[in-house]
Amino acid sequence: MNPATILVVDDSATKRYLLVSWLTRAGFTVREAETGGQALAMLPGSGVDLVVLDVKLPDMSGFEVCERIKGDPAYGVLPVIHVSAHAVDVVDRTQGLNRGADAYLVEPIEPEELIATAQAVLRYYSARQRAESLAARLVQLAETTLAINSASTIEGLLAAAVDGAYKIFGGPAVVLAEGVDGQSLVALGSPPTISQWAPPPSGVAVGSVVRTDDPSDWDVVDWPPDESVTVAAARLRPDRPPVYVAVPSSSQTPGFPVLRQLSQAVAAAVEAQRSYDEEHRIAVTLQRSLLQTQLPDVPGLDLAVRYEPAGAQTEVGGDFYELTMLDGRLLVAIGDVAGHSLHAATVMAEVRHAVRAYAVEGHSPATVLELVNRFMRTVLPNDSATLCLLTLDPATGVIRLASAGHLPPLLRTDEGVRFVEAHGPLLGINAPRPAEAEFLLPRGGTLVLYTDGLVERRDADIDVGLGLLAKAATDVDLDLDAFTRRLVRVLPGPGQQADDIAVVALRRGL
């Protein structure tokens, strides 16, 4: 550790010589000033750790010099020891201490007393600086932990972690963890960058450890010259690789409290994000497994479906669709069970199978809805769902449609775009149901059925979404798959999709 630097301020060359000699022999680096103005001019950028200040100076009093030192934000934390052969009574000593001095010595001064006082004051200020530095780091650690846990991806999490490490320790940092796909991801720099990089091999047991590595083992960044690297590794499970946080060793305090906590926070967040991603992937897989995967081949009709889960949720949703040929007619159903959970997915599967079973018996769309509603009120009395159901005769284009609280289908023909109004209460409610509607899908016409996730927006009424859907359907792509893909991509808006989306499009050939 480098010796402390002390500035001695005294207009008496003899007294100044004695003070400098005593302090130099004690191992301090000593600088000198004759006046208060000279001392104040020397302080900025001088690296002075302590000022030994005479009270009586030719240009201003030592009390004033001390006040100006303590009031300057650049070096106001400097400790000051007053020395005086003239201002020696209680009133003088009290004034000096009240105006900012940390100690007050009256002459004659013994060398041992001066040195002991200087060492005591420096110890106190060193401890205070360590405590203030630790407090500031803990505040930044709390902010970094919040940013880490607010990230929605592992990449974002690592970027927040390395940015926080840079701010906490004031220098280069590296954060390393394994992504969901098994690739090792490294975050470094300010602003952070993410790339793939294999860590140096080392055995880390479950728990946390801090070690010192050679900078060449972490050569993804340029470390300060002659610097070693302190690495904190945290591992939560034996089947998961550890998370690493590497910083310059000179930035660390005994025990590595902040670095260790940061690595543990990153490890916990990575594990939570990994679990979230895995659960989301399983949920989406389950949801898709419950949906129809193969569409019927119907001469004279083009068919397309698309399902897009909400990216911000792991739960399984209740959106579904069904397209089946029955007795020469195409049965089309699209619905949405209330809620997002495994239970909602189970209800969705039961409703879908009930619709198909009653339709196979030859019932009309309105009758199928009535039977499904009776089924839900008996077997699933606490659940509700919306459903739009129709049959289409491919030869004539005649459609018979019934709705249970579902959004109206959109019809695109040469005459323009309109919504087919068909009303009815939700499934699961004991209420009268209107007769089904009948209309014609002309040759070249396109019918679009959808769930509310396509047109609902967080910042606007649903009529706005319906208007955007009508505008988007003004031109229907030749490829219906491309058309449904465009609707799902464009309509919710960036970051606006709050619910699952299901879309069914059918077009009658010319």
Side-chain angles (χ1 to χ4, degrees), residues 180-354:
V180 177
D181 58 1
Q183 294 288 339
S184 291
L185 299 177
V186 64
L188 48 95
S190 182
T193 60
I194 309 293
S195 59
Q196 294 184 5
W197 184 69
S202 61
V204 177
V206 173
S208 64
V209 64
V210 179
R211 66 173 191 255
T212 300
D213 283 4
D214 190 276
S216 62
D217 293 334
W218 298 85
D219 57 1
V220 285
V221 298
D222 295 326
W223 302 101
D226 303 321
E227 180 73 84
S228 60
V229 178
T230 296
V231 181
R235 189 173 193 173
L236 301 186
R237 292 169 43 176
D239 59 332
R240 302 287 201 212
V243 166
Y244 298 92
V245 180
V247 296
S249 296
S250 60
S251 66
Q252 295 307 295
T253 55
F256 318 103
V258 178
L259 180 63
R260 192 185 296 272
Q261 289 184 50
L262 178 60
S263 68
Q264 292 169 351
V266 175
V270 166
E271 183 60 32
Q273 185 63 50
R274 179 191 293 274
S275 297
Y276 174 92
D277 290 340
E278 291 177 349
E279 289 171 9
H280 183 68
R281 186 166 54 247
I282 292 170
V284 171
T285 301
L286 175 60
Q287 174 78 358
R288 293 187 185 279
S289 72
L290 295 173
L291 296 173
Q292 188 174 359
T293 57
Q294 187 171 356
L295 301 181
D297 184 8
V298 185
L301 291 178
D302 291 331
L303 306 175
V305 297
R306 186 156 300 276
Y307 167 76
E308 189 68 32
Q313 65 186 31
T314 61
E315 297 93 346
V316 182
D319 291 21
F320 68 96
Y321 53 80
E322 177 71 31
L323 292 89
T324 305
M325 287 298 295
L326 296 174
D327 298 327
R329 289 179 173 81
L330 176 66
L331 174 76
V332 181
I334 190 166
D336 185 3
V337 173
H340 286 87
S341 64
L342 184 59
H343 175 74
T346 302
V347 173
M348 176 265 283
E350 292 193 59
V351 171
R352 177 188 165 202
H353 292 313

Side-chain angles (χ1 to χ4, degrees), residues 52-82:
V52 176
L53 179 62
D54 187 17
V55 172
K56 187 178 180 181
L57 296 170
D59 56 341
M60 64 183 81
S61 74
F63 297 149
E64 183 180 349
V65 175
C66 181
E67 281 187 328
R68 291 177 64 175
I69 290 174
K70 295 296 185 176
D72 194 301
Y75 45 81
V77 295
L78 274 178
V80 174
I81 299 175
H82 275 318

Side-chain angles (χ1 to χ4, degrees), residues 71-202:
D72 194 301
Y75 45 81
V77 295
L78 274 178
V80 174
I81 299 175
H82 275 318
V83 294
S84 180
H86 303 284
V88 296
D89 60 20
V90 173
V91 174
D92 294 323
R93 296 197 300 272
T94 301
Q95 181 182 186
L97 294 172
N98 284 338
R99 295 176 70 173
D102 298 277
Y104 200 111
L105 301 177
V106 297
E107 299 183 20
I109 303 171
E110 294 296 329
E112 293 81 3
E113 181 184 14
L114 173 65
I115 293 167
T117 302
Q119 290 173 336
V121 170
L122 286 169
R123 282 197 303 271
Y124 167 77
Y125 269 83
S126 177
R128 174 180 166 181
Q129 288 174 340
R130 287 196 301 270
E132 290 175 347
S133 174
L134 179 59
R137 287 185 171 188
L138 288 174
V139 169
Q140 186 60 54
L141 174 65
E143 295 177 356
T144 300
T145 302
L146 177 61
I148 288 170
N149 287 287
S150 299
S152 58
T153 64
I154 286 185
E155 290 79 4
L157 183 163
L158 296 179
V162 78
D163 185 59
Y166 184 89
K167 294 174 181 176
I168 292 170
F169 302 113
V174 176
V175 179
L176 183 70
E178 184 179 276
V180 177
D181 58 1
Q183 294 288 339
S184 291
L185 299 177
V186 64
L188 48 95
S190 182
T193 60
I194 309 293
S195 59
Q196 294 184 5
W197 184 69
S202 61

Side-chain angles (χ1 to χ4, degrees), residues 352-391:
R352 177 188 165 202
H353 292 313
V355 168
R356 185 161 46 182
Y358 290 130
V360 167
E361 293 179 353
H363 300 295
S364 67
T367 303
V368 171
L369 290 190
E370 182 64 42
L371 293 171
V372 173
N373 185 63
R374 187 184 306 168
F375 164 78
M376 286 191 65
R377 293 184 60 240
T378 303
V379 179
L380 305 164
N382 298 318
D383 296 291
S384 63
T386 67
L387 178 63
C388 184
L389 180 67
L390 63 86
T391 58

